[in-house]
Structures are given as C-alpha cells and as structure tokens.
Amino acid sequence: MVRVYKRKTQQHSWSSDSMTKAIDAVIEKKMSYKKAAEQFRVPQTILERYMKKKQSDNNYTVTKMLGRYRTVFTPEQEKELFSYLKSMEAQLFGLILMELRELAFQLAEKNNIPHPFGKDGKAGEDWARQFILKHPDLTLRTPEATSAARAMVFNKVVDKFFNLLKEVVQSNRITADRMYNCDETGLTVNSKEHSKIIAQKGRRQVGVVTSTDRGQTVTIELCFSAAGVYLPPMLIFPRKRMQQVFEMGLPPGASSVCSENGWVTKELFVVWFKQFIQFLGASKDRKILLLLDGHSTHTKNLELIHLARENGVILLCFSPHCSHKLQPLDVSFMKPLSTFYENEIRKFLRSHPGKVVTLVNIAPLFGAAYTRAATMTTALNGFRKTGIFPMNKNVFEEVDFMPSLTTDIALETSQMLGPASKVSLPLPGPSTTLASDISLPSPGPNTTLASDISLPSPGKISTPVHTAKLIPARDDSTLAFPLCFQEKNTRSSSTYSACSAIN
C-alpha cells in the first residue's frame, strides 16, 4: 500500500448532500437532469443512475464509495475504539502501536467482520497509522514514568488539602507575597537528559560526550513565592570540608554547604530555613506560609518546628505522593532548570575539548542555568497550574483522577476532632458493554475482549487497606504538631506520622 498517496483525478469529488438535493429537484420536476447537475455540481451520468435506484426504492440514500475497497470497521465501531484508546491512556495504561494492531485483528475476527489483515494475528502497520491520522486527537508519544503510588493516591481526596489550605490562608490573611514553596533537586556532572541533535540519517547510533559514566550528586534547595520572588538557592556538595572554589559562579546571594553524600539532612535544612526566615523577615505579626513535601527532613525535624513557631512560619505539607501535581516547583520550574543546565554542560564540553565537568564547575554552570530559568512567569504559572494561587480546587479535570479509579477503595476516616465517618470512593465497575457488533475491554479485574480474547490490560492492583485518623498532639508530644496525621498500614503493621499544618 502506498503510504503517501496523492489523488490523480477528481472522481467522486462531489458531496453526498449535493447529490441528494439534485435528486430531490429532479423528482419534484423543478429541474432537468442537465440543469440539476450544473446547479449542484454533480456528474449527470451518476445522477441518472442514482435516480433509477431512488425510483425503485424510496428509502434509498446516497452513499459514496471510492473503488472496490471498503473500511474494515464502521464509523460507530471506530468511535468506540477511539474512546477506548483515550480511556486506557488516561488511566496510564496506554496501548502501543503493536497492541492496537492486535486489538483490531481480534475485534474483526471475533465479530465476523471481513478484513484484509494478514495471518500473523495483527492488522497492518499502515492501517494502524492511518487510523491515528484519521483521528487528530491521537498521536504516538513517549510516556513519562509515573509510579504506582502516585497513580493510586492522586484522587478526589486532594480536596482535603485545598480545604486545609483555604482555612490557613483565610485565618492568617496570607497574600501571594507571603506564600512560598520549597523543594530539593539533584544535579550531577552529567545532565539527566540530552536534547535532540542533528545527525546523519540512517546511522544506527548517535552519541554525545559526557564527563563520566556516573557522577556525584549535588543537592539544590530551591524556593519561590506566588508573587514571583525567588530565594537565593543553597547547594549541598558531597564533601566533608567546604572549599571556597565551590562558591565561584553561584547566583547572587546563593550559599553552599557540604555533607558526606551530598544529600539534604535535618541539620542542613535547618540551616536553609534560618536563611529563609532572615531573607523574608518572618515574625508572628507577619506570618509566612511555606508549602513543602513530606520528606523526613521536613516533617520529623523538631528544631525546624520550634523555629517555625517562634518566627510565625506556617508549614503545610502536600498530600502524600501528590507533589507531581500539587507542588509548583515540580510543575513549572524543575524541567526548565534541567533543560538549561544540560545546555550549559554541552556548551562547556564543546568549548573545552579534552576537559570534563567536575564538582568545581557545578556552581558556574548551575548559576547560568538558574538565571535563565528563574523568571517571574515561571513562578506565577507554577502556583496557577496547581490551583494554589489563585486558589482553584477545580483546576484538575476528571481525566487527572482516572489513573486512581482502578485501585480506589473505601477508607474509614475520622473528621478533625470530630466523630468518625466513612468516605466512599468509586470502585472499578465491570467490563463496559459497547455496541452490539464490537466489544472492547475496559480497565478492571480480569479484563477480556469479545468471547475468549485476552489482551494485556490493567487488572486490579492489590493494595493494602489503610485506616487513617487525625489525632490531636499533646503539649509534651515529641512531634509538636497541633494536628498530626497517623496512618497504619494493615499489611506491614508500620506506622508513621506527618504534619498537616503548624500554626
């Protein structure tokens, strides 16, 4: 089959509606064959042929077909297949091109639909690509890895986070210039990803020079506000003793510290938090809201908690495993920073042949990338897209919650300092019954196609049942939180606590 076919004639370029109007005009004796053909721009010979069919059958409708080839599936069947592909992708179980070909073959076989597919159990690659081209909403894309925990947890229960955020903002009159988000990211002498380069067509492998096979990690502490203000970053180098050369080329006001492995610790996060308080001039009269994830250096850090209380800083944690959707830094800033950093490394290696990037070069390379990435628009878009500021809990659509549908379970939850109540979450239903002449699977347990066809598709993931309750903290509590969220995993019998807010 010719993959890029160009028509060479104008045959059947008329529309079915024009032909129907011409037939009606001739039947009502308003026009002759010749005049109707000229008026509605249809071939006269074809008009006469359709007139004979209409006279023999009053219910006849004009159907235009090119040549002897027919489509395998009807428009209704293709619509069902199109909806199924979108539904599977929305639930993070998208089909590859090979699975689409197998699915089309099995549907045609089990529903006794004549088809020109081969005997290898798959529809042709040309059919699959033409099906995608026929539906502009479909395209082939490389998916981004999303952990099962993130897929299962991000459901409509995130409304509780927005309710708590609204309560904190309104009770303390928090404005955009006093709402901040902080997070950590890692940089190495090798960039995490590489941009596409121009290369000779047909080469089996295209390479690019890197400094080492595996590089040491430098942790960066980042923070910006809903008003577009950036705090000077802090770099954590994997060293036992700090050297002044590591600070050369850093952005203005930035600082650097060291740890044995280059990771953030409770003590180092407190060092950054003191800089945060000093930079903003936080006090009990001018409270600051700091949004952060549930990392142990944030939630199980007594010195941090005491400093926050003494200086009027309200700490609010995101829902577990939801930072990829709720954290402004993850949503808008981390990707541009990584891209610009990779560009700086590539320019350095190209400008210094024979040299490699070392820890000494991290500061100037990061400084150049950070200056390009840290724009006010990026910060404003991060808070807007997450619905935090301006506050909009409806920023997420139904498609954003679809990955959690296959694993949603009923949770037994207690209200804050109130009686217990049950929260029912939607459970995956049985396989959806589609049109009578086509059967498609829906994600859920024991997914099957028509009759006994089985295609790899998501089943119900076995997850532990969690029992959660909110408990008030005592004055002598080691957690020192007004409200702590304690969760017990009934399968592993492990218990952990994380903060919800500090007033």
Side-chain angles (χ1 to χ4, degrees):
M1 176 181 177
V2 180
R3 294 187 176 178
V4 184
Y5 176 75
K6 296 182 180 179
R7 293 193 61 181
K8 300 177 178 62
T9 66
Q10 296 298 322
Q11 291 183 352
H12 280 229
S13 58
W14 47 269
S15 66
S16 300
D17 292 338
S18 298
M19 182 63 71
T20 302
K21 293 178 181 178
I23 293 174
D24 294 338
V26 174
I27 292 177
E28 296 173 1
K29 297 183 179 180
K30 294 180 179 180
M31 299 180 186
S32 62
Y33 283 107
K34 183 177 181 181
K35 187 175 181 180
E38 293 176 353
Q39 179 73 24
F40 296 100
R41 297 182 180 181
V42 296
Q44 181 176 343
T45 54
I46 298 178
L47 173 60
E48 293 175 359
R49 184 166 68 248
Y50 279 128
M51 271 295 301
K52 293 180 181 179
K53 295 180 179 180
K54 185 70 174 180
Q55 290 172 351
S56 60
D57 183 7
N58 291 331
N59 296 324
Y60 177 78
T61 57
V62 177
T63 55
K64 184 176 66 172
M65 294 179 291
L66 288 174
R68 61 187 180 88
Y69 296 102
R70 304 291 182 267
T71 58
V72 177
F73 302 111
T74 64
E76 292 77 14
Q77 293 170 338
E78 288 192 357
K79 185 177 179 180
E80 295 283 2
L81 183 57
F82 168 76
S83 300
Y84 172 71
L85 292 175
K86 290 208 321 182
S87 175
M88 292 291 287
E89 183 275 328
Q91 299 184 56
L92 306 185
F93 294 104
L95 275 66
I96 62 175
L97 197 64
M98 183 67 68
E99 291 173 334
L100 172 60
R101 294 169 58 190
E102 294 174 351
L103 177 62
F105 180 87
Q106 295 173 3
L107 288 175
E109 283 287 312
K110 289 299 179 179
N111 291 283
N112 298 321
I113 300 175
H115 61 83
F117 304 147
K119 297 181 180 180
D120 57 350
K122 298 185 291 290
E125 182 177 352
D126 291 322
W127 179 91
R129 294 190 178 276
Q130 289 299 321
F131 179 85
I132 294 175
L133 290 175
K134 191 175 180 180
H135 299 83
D137 290 345
L138 298 179
T139 185
L140 286 174
R141 295 185 58 181
T142 302
E144 182 178 351
T146 304
S147 67
R150 292 183 184 271
M152 291 185 289
V153 170
F154 191 76
N155 51 35
K156 294 186 178 181
V157 178
V158 298
D159 285 348
K160 294 183 178 181
F161 167 76
F162 282 101
N163 293 337
L164 184 57
L165 174 64
K166 182 179 180 181
E167 179 184 350
V168 171
V169 170
Q170 290 181 349
S171 61
N172 296 278
R173 298 180 181 180
I174 302 296
T175 54
D177 61 315
R178 294 189 288 130
M179 182 183 298
Y180 286 80
N181 171 225
C182 71
D183 192 24
E184 298 84 20
T185 187
L187 297 179
T188 64
V189 294
N190 293 329
S191 58
K192 298 179 181 178
E193 56 186 25
H194 299 285
S195 302
K196 292 183 178 180
I197 62 173
I198 301 174
Q200 180 180 351
K201 191 174 183 179
R203 290 191 60 183
R204 296 184 61 183
Q205 185 175 359
V206 178
V208 64
V209 174
T210 59
S211 297
T212 59
D213 293 333
R214 296 181 63 183
Q216 293 178 298
T217 300
V218 176
T219 302
I220 316 293
E221 187 70 43
L222 302 165
C223 183
F224 61 29
S225 74
V229 177
Y230 288 78
L231 266 72
M234 185 179 77
L235 281 69
I236 305 174
F237 287 89
R239 307 282 292 186
K240 290 188 177 181
R241 292 190 236 356
M242 196 61 199
Q243 299 181 15
Q244 189 175 2
V245 68
F246 289 148
E247 299 182 354
M248 297 178 60
L250 285 177
S255 60
S256 61
V257 293
C258 59
S259 68
E260 291 189 3
N261 52 17
W263 297 348
V264 64
T265 62
K266 295 180 181 179
E267 294 76 14
L268 292 179
F269 188 75
V270 169
V271 171
W272 174 86
F273 190 69
K274 291 179 179 178
Q275 297 176 4
F276 173 84
I277 295 173
Q278 183 179 2
F279 183 87
L280 299 178
S283 64
K284 293 184 178 180
D285 297 329
R286 186 179 180 272
K287 292 187 176 181
I288 303 294
L289 174 61
L290 180 59
L291 303 168
L292 41 92
D293 57 35
H295 194 267
S296 60
T297 57
H298 306 158
T299 60
K300 298 180 180 180
N301 194 334
L302 288 178
E303 187 175 358
L304 171 70
I305 296 167
H306 292 312
L307 280 174
R309 284 182 168 176
E310 292 174 359
N311 294 276
V313 178
I314 305 171
L315 303 179
L316 181 61
C317 287
F318 297 108
S319 303
H321 304 293
C322 295
S323 60
H324 66 299
K325 293 282 190 180
L326 294 177
Q327 183 151 246
L329 278 166
D330 280 346
V331 171
S332 67
F333 186 76
M334 295 304 185
K335 179 64 176 180
L337 178 63
S338 177
T339 301
F340 291 137
Y341 180 71
E342 187 266 335
N343 292 340
E344 294 298 327
I345 288 181
R346 187 174 64 253
K347 289 191 294 184
F348 176 87
L349 294 175
R350 188 178 299 161
S351 304
H352 302 80
K355 292 186 178 181
V356 296
V357 177
T358 63
L359 290 179
V360 176
N361 307 118
I362 291 287
L365 295 177
F366 166 75
Y370 181 83
T371 304
R372 297 175 61 187
T375 64
M376 177 180 288
T377 303
T378 300
L380 297 179
N381 287 338
F383 280 88
R384 178 180 56 82
K385 290 183 178 180
T386 54
I388 295 177
F389 189 89
M391 192 175 301
N392 179 19
K393 66 167 61 177
N394 298 320
V395 68
F396 300 110
E397 301 177 355
E398 291 295 329
V399 67
D400 296 310
F401 301 112
M402 287 187 68
S404 66
L405 295 181
T406 56
T407 56
D408 273 347
I409 57 176
L411 292 178
E412 186 175 338
T413 312
S414 298
Q415 298 285 346
M416 278 190 178
L417 302 178
S421 61
K422 290 186 178 181
V423 179
S424 298
L425 299 178
L427 291 171
S431 299
T432 304
T433 304
L434 302 174
S436 57
D437 51 355
I438 184 170
S439 300
L440 294 174
S442 61
N446 303 323
T447 301
T448 57
L449 292 176
S451 302
D452 54 352
I453 302 176
S454 59
L455 185 73
S457 58
K460 187 171 182 181
I461 302 175
S462 176
T463 55
V465 178
H466 293 74
T467 303
K469 63 179 180 178
L470 290 165
I471 58 173
R474 300 174 300 177
D475 294 337
D476 57 341
S477 173
T478 56
L479 291 173
F481 291 102
L483 287 175
C484 303
F485 183 76
Q486 188 179 52
E487 184 175 21
K488 183 176 181 181
N489 188 323
T490 57
R491 183 167 60 184
S492 61
S493 299
S494 61
T495 304
Y496 65 89
S497 300
C499 72
S500 57
I502 301 177
N503 294 320

